[in-house]
Amino acid sequence: MSSMDHADDRGAKKELRKEHPSGWLYLTQYDAIPILVDALLDLPPNREFNKTELAAHAGVTRQTVGNYTDLLCEVELIEDVPNTSPRRYRVADSDVVRELFELNSALNSVGE
């Protein structure tokens, strides 16, 4: 198989992954998501925030947070705080968040 065939095969596999992404790829396909997730990992438990507060904490614009709030809710990283106006959020109490904190802890302990 020539190197060009390998390149075509890699391209096809990459496109197939994009068409049928894993949960990880679905979440991280946007450049701002890793920054927002990192900021969420840094919040105290049960800390409520609005979009402006999360943006300031993450070092991004409010518009950036607004662009991804629905996605962060969809994948159970954050949840709406009921009966708040303006709308407030908090880190979700979900398996996804627990696993994310566990992964982050494991990564932080590598090489210690």
Side-chain angles (χ1 to χ4, degrees):
M1 184 180 282
S2 73
S3 61
M4 187 58 102
D5 291 335
H6 270 307
D8 288 344
D9 189 42
R10 282 193 309 266
K13 286 180 182 178
K14 182 177 181 180
E15 287 307 311
L16 187 59
R17 287 187 181 281
K18 287 180 177 181
E19 290 172 21
H20 305 283
S22 65
W24 177 253
L25 184 58
Y26 179 71
L27 177 63
T28 60
Q29 66 185 320
Y30 306 102
D31 291 341
I33 292 294
I35 297 295
L36 293 173
V37 170
D38 189 65
L40 293 171
L41 288 168
D42 192 39
L43 289 174
N46 301 315
R47 166 76 162 45
E48 293 181 12
F49 51 87
N50 61 30
K51 291 176 185 178
T52 302
E53 292 165 338
L54 179 57
H57 182 66
V60 299
T61 65
R62 185 187 182 287
Q63 181 179 354
T64 296
V65 172
N67 289 342
Y68 300 110
T69 303
D70 289 343
L71 175 63
L72 295 172
C73 287
E74 178 187 336
V75 299
E76 299 181 352
L77 287 175
I78 63 173
E79 59 192 13
D80 289 328
V81 176
N83 305 315
T84 56
S85 180
R87 180 171 279 165
R88 295 187 68 74
Y89 304 90
R90 66 179 157 238
V91 176
D93 180 15
S94 69
D95 289 340
V96 172
V97 169
R98 284 185 285 281
E99 294 292 336
L100 185 60
F101 273 95
E102 190 172 313
L103 174 62
N104 190 52
S105 178
L107 289 169
N108 285 335
S109 67
V110 170
E112 289 183 355

